[in-house]
Every structure is written in C-alpha cells, then in structure tokens.
Amino acid sequence: GGSFAYLNAAAARLFGSDGPDRMHGRRILDHVHPEMRDAVHERIRRLNDLRESVPLVQQQYLRLDGSPVDAEVSAVPIEYQGQQGALVFARDIAERKRAAEALRLRTEQLEAVRVVGEEIVGERDLSTVLRLVARRACELTGAAAADIYLWDAERELLIPQVSHGHETPHPGNVRRLGRQGALRAGPEDAHDRARPPDRAWRRCERRWPPRRA
C-alpha cells in the first residue's frame, strides 16, 4: 500500500501533525478512511504498477488523532530518491463543504418560507394557517411535534392554539389556569422573564385575515 516518504508543511497540517517528520514511514492506508481503502489501494496500484496518473477525487483521510478530514486528491507517478513513487496533491475541503452545507440549509429554509407563504396567502381561517406553519416547521427542522401558543397580553395568558404531531398542546413548563385550556407561565418560566411585546398577540383571531392594501 506504500508509505509516506515526504510531506510539506501544509500536508503535515492536513494530517494533524506538528511537523512532517512524524508522518515519514507511516503506511498510507492507515491514514485513509476504512470505507475508502479499497479504492485508494487500487489508485496506488495504478500509480506504482501501471505508472498512470490518477484523477482528482474526494476522499477522507484520518489524522493522527483518528479524526476524519475531507480532501480532494490527485496524483502522478514519479521517481523519488531512486525509487518509484507518486507525487500526491491533496487539498483540505472541509471549510468548503461546511459552506456548501450551510448554503443548502439556507436554501431549504427560504424555499420552506416561500411554500408556506403560498399556502396561507388565500387562507382566511387563523387555525388553519397556524396548523400549516406548525407542520412546515416540523418538516424543516425534523422535529416530531410542534405546538403554537398565542400570548394574550391583556390577561397575561399563553393560549394554546394548534398542535402538530400529537393530539393537544403540551404545556411544558407552564401552569394551567382558568378555563378552555388557558395557560399561564409560572414565575420560574422563561415566558414570565421574557414576555412578548405588549398587545403583540392580543385578539389575533379578530385580526385575521390581515387587511390588504
């Protein structure tokens, strides 16, 4: 499977080494993710036996501490110190993959907002709107269930509105007071420490649907 004969400083950092010398003589396949060792072994065979260049691919190396690192790798056959070997070009792509994943999630979130907007634009029933929002929120976040409460600032009550994923709104850390399932935050609850703006949710049912300009 071959071994490391020379690394520059950037390659040493890729493997989590404090210097190139620590990697010298180590087996290459010991620092390749187990799921990719067969493919890398075949690439090494082509380099050493067939003296062929191998194309750019993504693969996972293992650092000295055993943690994986994503890299783009290509290689060409060479002679080094009188022996056949390969010059390998490897680039850490972890940051690029993180950025791509963040972009993907952001795109999904924006699409979810667009879909919810289309679904509720013509809806005149507030409960239906809230159910749609709760369902889409679960789909977007992977949550199993969601509850929506509206704040009645006049009575200082959290009023359960809709649930998705189970039958009734779950009170969590709030206390049940009054009739019709009205909920009021206990003194120790975050709802009591950080209330919504005054009158923000008061009489929501009477203000839906919003007036069009």
Side-chain angles (χ1 to χ4, degrees):
S3 60
F4 293 102
Y6 170 80
L7 289 85
N8 62 14
R13 289 194 299 271
L14 179 70
F15 287 98
S17 174
D18 54 9
D21 292 344
R22 290 189 62 189
M23 297 297 296
H24 290 173
R26 288 179 174 268
R27 292 183 67 248
I28 294 171
L29 292 180
D30 288 345
H31 290 277
V32 174
H33 193 282
E35 294 181 359
M36 298 184 174
R37 284 175 184 167
D38 288 344
V40 173
H41 185 274
E42 174 59 21
R43 286 166 65 87
I44 293 174
R45 186 192 70 81
R46 288 175 56 187
L47 286 161
N48 290 338
D49 297 345
L50 304 180
R51 308 307 290 164
E52 294 179 351
S53 300
V54 291
L56 185 71
V57 296
Q58 290 189 13
Q59 65 187 49
Q60 274 194 335
Y61 284 123
L62 298 178
R63 294 189 176 97
L64 287 174
D65 62 5
S67 62
V69 55
D70 295 304
E72 279 186 342
V73 183
S74 62
V76 296
I78 62 168
E79 284 194 5
Y80 181 71
Q81 295 181 344
Q83 295 183 341
Q84 291 185 348
L87 177 61
V88 180
F89 305 92
R91 180 173 63 176
D92 187 344
I93 59 171
E95 186 61 34
R96 191 177 78 189
K97 293 188 74 172
R98 283 192 292 269
E101 178 64 12
L103 178 60
R104 184 189 67 80
L105 291 175
R106 181 59 176 166
T107 301
E108 287 185 358
Q109 292 169 350
L110 292 174
E111 175 62 13
V113 171
R114 184 192 67 79
V115 171
V116 170
E118 289 185 351
E119 289 177 336
I120 69 175
V121 67
E123 183 56 61
R124 302 184 64 83
D125 178 66
L126 177 61
S127 294
T128 301
V129 170
L130 295 179
R131 281 193 293 272
L132 287 170
V133 171
R135 176 168 60 85
R136 289 296 184 184
C138 286
E139 293 173 356
L140 183 62
T141 63
D147 301 323
I148 294 181
Y149 298 86
L150 298 184
W151 176 256
D152 188 325
E154 190 172 78
R155 294 183 293 164
E156 295 190 346
L157 295 176
L158 284 169
I159 311 299
Q161 299 296 310
V162 299
S163 290
H164 176 76
H166 51 76
E167 293 183 358
T168 58
H170 191 280
N173 294 325
V174 296
R175 291 205 305 256
R176 183 177 296 276
L177 293 176
R179 294 172 296 177
Q180 299 178 343
L183 302 172
R184 181 170 184 174
E188 74 287 354
D189 191 80
H191 293 295
D192 200 54
R193 297 195 300 270
R195 297 175 178 173
D198 286 346
R199 304 181 184 277
W201 292 104
R202 184 188 298 178
R203 305 293 184 262
C204 289
E205 295 88 344
R206 297 181 184 177
R207 295 191 296 157
W208 190 270
R211 296 175 182 176
R212 297 184 183 275

